[in-house]
Amino acid sequence: MLMIYDNPDTRAVFFGEEGKPLMAEMEAIMAELKESGELVDTAALGDPAATKVVRGSGVVTDGPLAEAKEHFGGYLIVDVESEARAVEIAARWPKVDTAMEVRPLLGDGGEEM
């Protein structure tokens, strides 16, 4: 899973006029992943001010996924031959003060733990 972290400023750049070249880069990578069959699923997440429920405390707050300056803005699930290939894809993702985290997904039985 390639987890995309951004912030309000990066979203403004991506979706503004100056972001057209960045969007074109992103669309080219997505087209490549679709054509190769490596793309399994992808989604952008909405408003980062989501409701967060803190387990066991009964506290409900508004805020990003984690207490951080970055927001979990979306993800790609890819089926690749190696972690190196996933890192290669992440390294090519258009950057505007964003980060992408590469995490393996556990199989159905969770035996990788």
Side-chain angles (χ1 to χ4, degrees):
M1 174 181 255
L2 308 179
M3 301 167 63
I4 304 164
Y5 291 91
D6 60 14
N7 61 56
D9 294 335
T10 58
R11 284 190 173 205
V13 169
F14 261 94
F15 296 106
E17 188 65 30
E18 62 191 289
K20 287 185 179 183
L22 297 170
M23 290 297 283
E25 276 185 71
M26 187 173 62
E27 289 168 2
I29 293 169
M30 295 294 285
E32 173 191 317
L33 295 173
K34 286 177 187 173
E35 186 176 317
S36 70
E38 292 173 306
L39 184 66
V40 174
D41 189 24
T42 186
L45 302 180
D47 184 359
T51 300
K52 180 173 53 178
V53 178
V54 180
R55 187 174 82 176
S57 71
V59 176
V60 177
T61 63
D62 289 334
L65 181 66
E67 297 300 327
K69 294 177 185 172
E70 296 83 23
H71 308 139
F72 179 37
Y75 66 88
L76 289 85
I77 296 178
V78 294
D79 184 6
V80 293
E81 290 189 24
S82 66
E83 181 181 357
R85 173 64 177 141
V87 170
E88 175 189 327
I89 295 165
R92 291 179 48 213
W93 200 256
K95 305 286 190 287
V96 181
D97 197 26
T98 60
M100 186 174 276
E101 185 175 338
V102 177
R103 305 271 313 260
L105 293 176
L106 297 178
D108 292 337
E111 59 276 351
E112 297 89 343
M113 293 181 71

